Amino acid sequence: MQVSGLVWTLTVAGIIGLVLFDFFFHVRRAHIPSLKEAGIWSGVYVGLAIVFGFGVLIFGGQDMGAEYFAGWVTEKALSVDNLFVFLVLLGSFKVPRADQQKVLLFGIVFSLVARTGFIFLGAALINSFAWVFYLFGLILLITAGNLLKSEAERSAHNVIIRVARRYLRTSDTYDGDKLFTVQGGKRVMTPMLLVMVAIGGTDILFALDSIPAIFGLTQSVYLVFTATAFSLLGLRQLYFLLDGLLDRLIFLSYGLAVVLAFIGVKLVLHALHENNVPFINGGDHVYVIEISTLMSLSFIVGVLIVTVIASLLSPKGRAQTYVAAARRHAAQFLDIETDPKYCDEIYHKLLDEEAHLKKLPEKYRARIREEQELTELLRRAHRVHDERVAAGTCYRP
């Protein structure tokens, strides 16, 4: 599909317009999005991505349409998995709920810029060196293997953060949503800027996996760019919509591992078909089966549907959801949030989650009782709530 400069200009302008709209109408004023707000705008952005895909289908043909949808679905699934790490980062830096939107929008903008650079770099490599398909395929196969490992430790401390903490002046407390503040007469970074650095650094690592994946489904730079952009737009709203369900998707990483391995194999087969590496078949093409785009799209969608259904039906997933939510809300109630009204809302959510925990099968309740840290965290939350009630500092509707 040949894309004119005008179409590129209009597309980029439209995406920038959507980001600016998101900032000025939703993020500029710090607030906690309601479930309704998050649901409506998540639906709007998904709808825009689908409408755009039908436009590609009409003007570019069936193959291009299938390539776009395969790339968009894959990138969207990978972005949902990325939300797990964002959840850890925001919790680790104790970002107040009302200010999380600004951090997430920064992450999205940074990711768009970084991935655009990776996209054009990847396209240049592919056009110059056919062997790059072997490299991309290997990257995806290694990534798939890593996703199968235990995810108990999702670290929020990467090298960028360690360097920032060591060499830059940083404060331990927030000053609203300001990036810098004055402390002891000196201008220092706030944790708000530090968490943005963390999100940006993490996004670069994500791009190293996602860009080879989408190039395994289409080599059209325009489709790679638009599928990636539409997968990121609306990610902020999706975070607040899926916040309570993220921990429930316990098999998502396994599903993504299968998808990435599948695309990795597809890339290797394509590399063999286009082979010009001297030590493989004497530099001649290897005639192998190539996987069609429609088959790829069907496989990816099928795996993700099975993964989500299996996660939602899993008793282990249900137990993990309540445990993670209880731990997160207790930490928010105790150490992060300062708005009495929202603290009261969090506490009642915590009570609901504890009620769900008590209804779990005995084997799961026994495991929860063995988690000393969680048990002590919940006891402390109840004790602090009682103290606030006694002091008259709790919110009264």
Side-chain angles (χ1 to χ4, degrees), residues 12 60 81 90 112 126 140 145-146 148 167 176-177 179 181 209 221 249 254 261 287-288 319 331 345:
V12 172
D81 189 56
L90 295 174
L112 272 171
I126 287 171
L140 293 183
N146 290 334
L148 293 175
Y167 295 105
D177 59 359
L179 304 182
T181 189
D209 299 333
V221 176
L249 301 176
Y254 296 105
Y287 295 97
V288 293
E345 181 182 329

Side-chain angles (χ1 to χ4, degrees), residues 88-321:
V88 173
L89 283 168
L90 295 174
S92 174
F93 284 93
K94 299 181 179 180
V95 182
R97 186 75 164 172
D99 296 323
Q100 290 179 2
Q101 293 196 95
K102 183 170 287 188
V103 176
L104 290 170
L105 185 61
F106 168 83
I108 290 168
V109 172
F110 184 90
S111 187
L112 272 171
V113 174
R115 294 187 191 204
T116 299
F118 278 118
I119 287 168
F120 284 102
L121 176 61
L125 290 173
I126 287 171
N127 289 331
S128 302
F129 309 104
W131 55 262
V132 168
F133 285 110
Y134 288 114
L135 177 62
F136 282 1
L138 180 61
I139 289 173
L140 293 183
L141 291 171
I142 292 173
T143 303
N146 290 334
L147 284 173
L148 293 175
K149 296 178 181 179
S150 172
E151 296 189 19
E153 297 296 330
R154 287 179 178 266
S155 176
H157 303 285
N158 56 39
V159 65
I160 296 176
I161 293 304
R162 290 196 294 270
V163 170
R165 286 193 184 278
R166 182 170 181 178
Y167 295 105
L168 301 176
R169 293 194 185 99
T170 60
S171 67
D172 295 324
T173 57
Y174 288 89
D175 185 4
D177 59 359
K178 294 179 181 178
L179 304 182
F180 293 91
T181 189
V182 177
Q183 209 173 63
K186 296 180 179 179
R187 186 176 173 84
V188 296
M189 294 170 55
T190 68
M192 179 64 71
L193 181 56
L194 205 56
V195 71
M196 286 184 176
V197 173
I199 292 283
T202 306
D203 277 331
I204 293 176
L205 298 178
F206 291 156
L208 295 176
D209 299 333
S210 67
I211 297 306
I214 194 169
F215 268 117
L217 298 167
T218 177
Q219 279 81 63
S220 167
V221 176
Y222 182 75
L223 293 184
V224 171
F225 172 75
T226 52
T228 301
F230 277 110
S231 73
L232 292 171
L233 292 173
L235 191 60
R236 176 187 64 80
Q237 294 87 344
L238 193 63
Y239 172 85
F240 289 96
L241 182 64
L242 297 182
D243 188 11
L245 287 176
L246 283 174
D247 297 298
R248 188 71 174 268
L249 301 176
I250 61 171
F251 298 127
L252 179 61
S253 290
Y254 296 105
L256 288 174
V258 172
V259 168
L260 292 182
F262 172 81
I263 299 174
V265 170
K266 186 176 186 292
L267 275 170
V268 172
L269 291 175
H270 181 73
L272 288 170
H273 192 268
E274 302 291 329
N275 179 62
N276 59 8
V277 178
F279 57 83
I280 298 178
N281 198 36
D284 294 329
H285 303 327
V286 180
Y287 295 97
V288 293
I289 297 174
E290 286 212 76
I291 303 169
S292 70
T293 305
L294 281 175
M295 184 181 294
S296 299
L297 177 59
S298 301
F299 181 84
I300 291 167
V301 172
V303 168
L304 293 176
I305 288 175
V306 170
T307 298
V308 171
I309 292 175
S311 296
L312 294 178
L313 295 178
S314 167
K316 179 182 177 182
R318 187 164 59 251
Q320 182 171 303
T321 300

